[in-house]
Amino acid sequence: MRPHAAIVGAGSLAPQRRTEGASTLGMLARAAKAALDDARMEKAEIDGLLVGPQVGETPQHVPATVSEYLGLQPVMSNVVDLGGASGPGMVWRAAAAIQAGMCETVLCVIGNHRNPEPPRSPNRNPIREFDVPFGASGANVSYALLKQAHMARYGTTDEDFALIAHWARANAQNCPEAIFHGSPASVDDVLASPMIASPLHLFEIVMPVAGAEAGIVTSAERARGRQAAWLLGAGEKITHRAVSQAPDLTSGPLKPSMDRAFAQSGLGVERMSLLSLYDCYTIMVATTLEDAGLCTPGGFGEFMRAHDFGPAGDMPLNTHGGQLGYGQPDLAGGMTHVTEAVRQLRGAATGRQIADPEFALVTGNGATMSEAVALVLGTDA
């Protein structure tokens, strides 16, 4: 695949456990400015805009509202609504719009506040009728079911899953912005944390935070000569919404998404310098490692014991701490995996830089292992 676009700027707001009087629009503006500054671009150079949904604040006309607030007049705009896969999904959509000649430089921005009054919106989704009344309410219960299914099918253990949370916390110690910077967790600590939804322990579950993330995607012509992370391949698939409708509880739509991304890039998973894998729960990382072909189904525990996942290790994984260590800034959680990969590929991950990066696998996941996006990024076109 000949690259048509690259990410040339990344901006992040440090995660916060709580906000007071913040607006999502204001947070998006700050993340967007940080990305523009990083790309050394002016606002007038932006002619495309991709945003996420804004629950409770801007229920409709989100691109127009964000454009007006930022002072943009894009010739291409849209909302990408794929849950935690929205950030990675924005990247390939931006590249596709550039390739189609609809625009040249796209701002991709997503985030949310955590004010005392939580944002709410009406929900008439069928899951409310057929799943919630029977106890399947909220993500914790649904992902607990996925972990339980994996343990039942393959004999995997709590200790296997605890290794994932341990490494997330360990890598967060190298990222001062991470919500769990200063709070490492051993395997025993993970196992001793409270049981939230059996068999999920508290430390296996993301910490919701406020935050925002932004990236600037531009054409190959404009990216030349800049520090860039090139989009080499992408894949996407949706299989269901409610976990009760999932075609498989131990493998998900990331498998075909990663297969497509690798096929487009002409690379295999063994060539990846960095694994930037969506990690809302430990079970999500486990299934992604297996679906990527890094280990056999049910074999992730042995794989975790065989490798060093730190920035100086042989298999760098979520070097910012992932969402389990960094925090999950609402739907921007998936974009944190994009911005971290961009920083690593550009040699800008201060204090946690991996050696000689070439390629990164980035994944996003929405709903309950339902919506999937995979990207392969590289340092050179």
Side-chain angles (χ1 to χ4, degrees), residues 28-335:
L28 297 184
R30 288 159 55 203
K33 184 180 187 306
L36 282 167
D37 289 346
D38 183 57
R40 298 183 180 180
M41 283 186 166
E42 298 297 326
K43 182 173 66 175
E45 297 177 74
I46 300 296
D47 61 353
L49 176 68
L50 293 176
V51 295
Q54 294 182 24
V55 176
E57 185 169 307
T58 308
Q60 292 179 305
H61 312 297
V62 184
T65 302
V66 175
S67 295
E68 179 184 74
Y69 192 81
L70 299 183
L72 302 175
Q73 295 187 6
V75 296
M76 185 285 298
S77 62
N78 218 322
V79 177
V80 180
D81 184 4
L82 292 170
S86 298
M90 289 178 182
V91 173
W92 81 254
R93 284 168 170 79
I98 291 167
Q99 183 182 1
M102 294 298 297
C103 55
E104 192 170 17
T105 302
V106 183
L107 169 64
C108 304
V109 62
I110 188 168
N112 220 330
H113 64 73
R114 281 188 65 80
N115 292 344
E117 307 79 26
R120 297 184 181 276
S121 66
N123 192 333
R124 297 294 297 274
N125 192 299
I127 193 173
R128 299 288 179 178
E129 182 175 357
F130 297 107
D131 290 56
V132 172
F134 300 95
S137 177
N140 290 342
V141 171
S142 297
Y143 279 92
L145 176 63
L146 296 179
K147 181 183 175 184
Q148 189 174 62
H150 197 281
M151 297 171 79
R153 180 173 294 183
Y154 298 118
T156 46
T157 66
D158 278 324
E159 289 77 8
D160 295 334
F161 289 95
L163 283 164
I164 294 170
H166 158 67
W167 273 108
R169 290 290 193 95
N171 283 342
Q173 306 318 301
N174 300 313
C175 179
E177 297 78 23
I179 204 74
F180 285 114
H181 183 261
S183 299
S186 67
V187 168
D188 287 342
D189 290 334
V190 177
L191 297 177
S193 66
M195 188 71 73
I196 301 301
S198 181
L200 279 175
H201 299 81
L202 178 63
F203 288 3
E204 297 181 80
I205 301 170
V206 289
M207 174 73 79
V209 297
E213 301 284 323
I216 307 292
V217 182
T218 195
S219 64
E221 292 73 18
R222 298 195 69 181
R224 303 286 179 202
R226 296 177 181 267
Q227 280 192 315
W230 294 85
L231 178 62
L232 305 179
E236 181 173 308
K237 188 164 186 175
I238 297 174
T239 52
H240 60 284
R241 168 60 182 92
V243 70
S244 61
Q245 306 304 310
D248 192 328
L249 297 179
T250 59
S251 178
L254 264 176
K255 181 175 177 57
S257 300
M258 289 186 288
D259 288 346
R260 181 183 290 271
F262 287 134
Q264 286 185 3
S265 69
L267 300 166
V269 69
E270 73 283 351
R271 296 287 307 280
M272 298 299 106
S273 312
L274 171 69
L275 302 174
S276 198
L277 308 183
Y278 194 91
D279 63 335
C280 49
Y281 296 83
T282 54
I283 178 60
M284 194 65 225
V285 178
T287 55
T288 304
L289 292 172
E290 294 173 359
D291 282 349
L294 287 162
C295 51
T296 59
F300 82 89
E302 181 180 348
F303 179 80
M304 293 296 298
R305 291 179 178 87
H307 296 281
D308 184 325
F309 297 94
D314 65 313
M315 190 71 62
L317 167 66
N318 290 344
T319 45
H320 63 314
Q323 294 174 82
L324 289 169
Y326 183 83
Q328 185 184 63
D330 202 70
L331 298 181
M335 187 66 103

Side-chain angles (χ1 to χ4, degrees), residues 1-28:
M1 174 181 174
R2 177 178 172 271
H4 296 280
I7 306 170
V8 295
S12 303
L13 300 190
Q16 297 175 262
R17 190 70 185 92
R18 295 278 187 265
T19 53
E20 291 283 347
S23 71
T24 296
L25 280 173
M27 296 175 71
L28 297 184

